[in-house]
Every structure is written in structure tokens, then in C-alpha cells.
Amino acid sequence: MGEYYWLEPANAFEPFQEYDVGLIALAFLQGSFAYGGWNFLNYVTEELVDPYVNLPRAIFISIPLVTFVYVFANIAYVTAMSPQELLASNAVAVTFGEKLLGVMSWIMPISVALSTFGGVNGSLFTSSRLFFAGAREGHLPSLLAMIHVKRCTPIPALLFTCLSTLLMLCTSDMYTLINYVGFINYLFYGVTVAGQIVLRIKQPDMHRPIRISLAWPVIYLLFWAFLLIFSLYSEPVVCGLGMAIMLTGVPVYFLGVYWDNKPECFNTFVGTAASFKFLQLDLFI
């Protein structure tokens, strides 16, 4: 039912505006947001069965599968809509369904909602565990390391995730929010990957149950530098605000972690507030 006019090489690379390396970097940054989630499973290795076998297996299976589905979904969109229609649509999948599915077009918004719910569920499950693990290691306030005594869920970390998410939703422009999150995510991804290279050089004999060639992190860092440098060049205000949001964690670290000799009244207040909140949540559940 579709057409392949915009997939022909003569038309597929026809520019609609002047080429700009900064905009190309932003396009990669926003496009790669769809593939986010490849790293989620790394946050919950403690809850995996035989993680040294199942973690690489899950990544090797999921990344090609998601890439295949996402690329072919976009090819399907281009066969049904022109690039101008894609840019004008607020919900591309819904527009695609209206054009091709007729009376069954209602399937698309439901499918998108279910997909979004699944993505949010995975993000909540992993990001809260990340805060919990960081607090347990002493990198975040110890309050976030508390878990429910019966259900063993990191409730303070989940509440913190909820609060930070609600603050992010104050941004009305979805593309600006993606730039915020994408820029900060890739900033930390690059630092993490660079740390792997440093450890491989400084501690070559360290036990590594999962070991890969250094060529992969080097390639990733080159791509990472391209994304961050030119994204910062193209959207300095947005990226600067993202870094400012990141730096708000500095006073939290000094108050919650670095400050050892806290007054007893402060510790009593935090403990009482946490106990009261847990009691409320337990009654609610």
C-alpha cells in the first residue's frame, strides 16, 4: 500500500535546508534516544540469574532486534508519508495508521501507549536501583539506600525518581527535554567508557568476567566526542541548562554525603520522616 519514492537514492538525500554539522549532531542525539535502554540491564545485575552469561546474551539479542524493528518502522513511515508530512505530524505512528489502516487506525495509539508504558516500567525499575546502589556505596545520601522491610523495594529511590521526573515535565517542548536528557546521558556514558579504558591500562590484571576489545570503547568515544562537541556548539543554551541541572547534585552530595558530623536533630528528623512515609505507603499498599 506504500510508495518507495522517498526511499530512492535520488530523493532520500535531498536536503530541505543547508547542511550544518551541529544540526547533524543533534539529529544523531535525538535519534539515538530511541535506542536508549541498552544500558538498563547493567543497573540490575544483582537481580539477574547468572549475569556473566545472561547480561551479554540479552544485550546481543536486544540491540539488533530493536534496531531492526525501529529502522523498518521508519521505512514503513516513509513509504506512507513524505518528509514534510513526517515533520508536520505530532504523532507519526497515529498519522501512519490513519493513512493505511482505515477503520482499524485505533490500534496505533493503543500500541504506542503500551510501548511507552513498557519503556517507562523498565526505566523506573532500573533507575531507582541505580540510586539505591549509589547510596549504598556512599555516593548519595544514605536515605536513598533504604528499602521496604517487607517488599524489599527501594521506596525512597522510587519517590526521588518520581519527583525528578515531575520536575522534568515542566519543560513543554519534548525536543528540548530529549536534548537535556540525551546530552547529560551521553556525557556520563562517555566518562564511564573512558574509565573502562583507564582501568584496562592501569589495572590490566584485574579480574574481568566480561571482557571486550578496547577497539569498541575507543570507537564509542570518538562518536561521543562528535555528538557532545557539536551538540554544545549547535544548542549551547539547552546543553548549558542540562549541565546546570546536573550540577544541582553537588550541594546534595555535600549535604547528604560529605557532611559527616550532622547534628543529631537532623538525623532524627530524617529518620522520623522516612519511618512515617514508609508507614503511610505500607497502609496505602
Side-chain angles (χ1 to χ4, degrees):
M1 296 177 64
E3 301 177 359
Y4 56 88
Y5 174 82
W6 289 106
L7 296 176
E8 296 176 350
N11 305 314
F13 298 97
E14 179 183 347
F16 295 98
Q17 58 185 4
E18 294 294 328
Y19 284 113
D20 181 84
V21 68
L23 294 179
I24 293 175
L26 281 178
F28 273 108
L29 191 67
Q30 294 186 1
S32 64
F33 183 80
Y35 299 92
W38 57 269
N39 58 329
F40 282 172
L41 202 58
N42 298 274
Y43 300 159
V44 290
T45 51
E46 288 185 351
E47 302 181 46
L48 288 179
V49 177
D50 198 1
Y52 300 140
V53 174
N54 291 324
L55 178 61
R57 182 182 296 167
I59 293 176
F60 292 151
I61 293 174
S62 62
I63 289 182
L65 181 62
V66 170
T67 302
F68 174 84
V69 172
Y70 186 75
V71 170
F72 274 82
N74 278 273
I75 290 177
Y77 295 155
V78 174
T79 62
M81 291 171 278
S82 67
Q84 293 87 345
E85 289 177 301
L86 283 169
L87 292 173
S89 175
N90 291 324
V92 176
V94 175
T95 305
F96 172 82
E98 292 173 350
K99 280 181 168 290
L100 295 186
L101 300 181
V103 294
M104 299 299 293
S105 61
W106 57 270
I107 292 176
M108 293 306 294
I110 294 178
S111 301
V112 171
L114 291 175
S115 176
T116 304
F117 180 81
V120 170
N121 181 61
S123 178
L124 285 175
F125 177 70
T126 55
S127 59
S128 61
R129 267 66 178 179
L130 181 64
F131 293 129
F132 163 75
R136 188 180 58 186
E137 296 295 327
H139 304 151
L140 290 169
S142 58
L143 175 64
L144 296 178
M146 291 184 173
I147 60 174
H148 195 281
V149 293
K150 295 180 180 179
R151 296 171 178 82
C152 298
T153 52
I155 291 181
L158 284 166
L159 292 174
F160 179 76
T161 303
C162 176
L163 178 62
S164 58
T165 302
L166 292 175
L167 290 175
M168 288 184 182
L169 289 177
C170 294
T171 303
S172 59
D173 186 356
M174 179 59 64
Y175 293 104
T176 301
L177 182 59
I178 291 176
N179 288 338
Y180 279 150
V181 176
F183 181 79
I184 297 302
N185 278 350
Y186 273 94
L187 180 61
F188 282 103
Y189 294 164
V191 172
T192 303
V193 173
Q196 179 186 7
I197 298 175
V198 171
L199 285 175
R200 187 72 67 86
I201 295 173
K202 289 189 173 182
Q203 302 183 29
D205 300 325
M206 179 187 291
H207 176 62
R208 293 178 171 89
I210 302 174
R211 188 182 181 94
I212 63 171
S213 170
L214 275 181
W216 294 109
V218 169
I219 293 172
Y220 182 88
L221 282 179
L222 292 174
F223 178 69
W224 169 82
F226 164 76
L227 278 183
L228 260 66
I229 292 173
F230 287 106
S231 296
L232 187 59
Y233 165 78
S234 180
E235 290 283 354
V237 175
V238 172
C239 296
L241 287 175
M243 295 187 70
I245 294 172
M246 176 188 69
L247 292 175
T248 58
V250 174
V252 175
Y253 173 79
F254 276 101
L255 289 174
V257 179
Y258 186 78
W259 185 20
D260 290 329
N261 301 319
K262 298 181 180 67
E264 188 62 31
C265 60
F266 179 84
N267 295 327
T268 303
F269 171 75
V270 172
T272 303
S275 301
F276 179 70
K277 182 57 68 176
F278 281 175
L279 178 61
Q280 283 185 319
L281 288 169
D282 192 39
L283 292 174
F284 176 74
I285 292 172

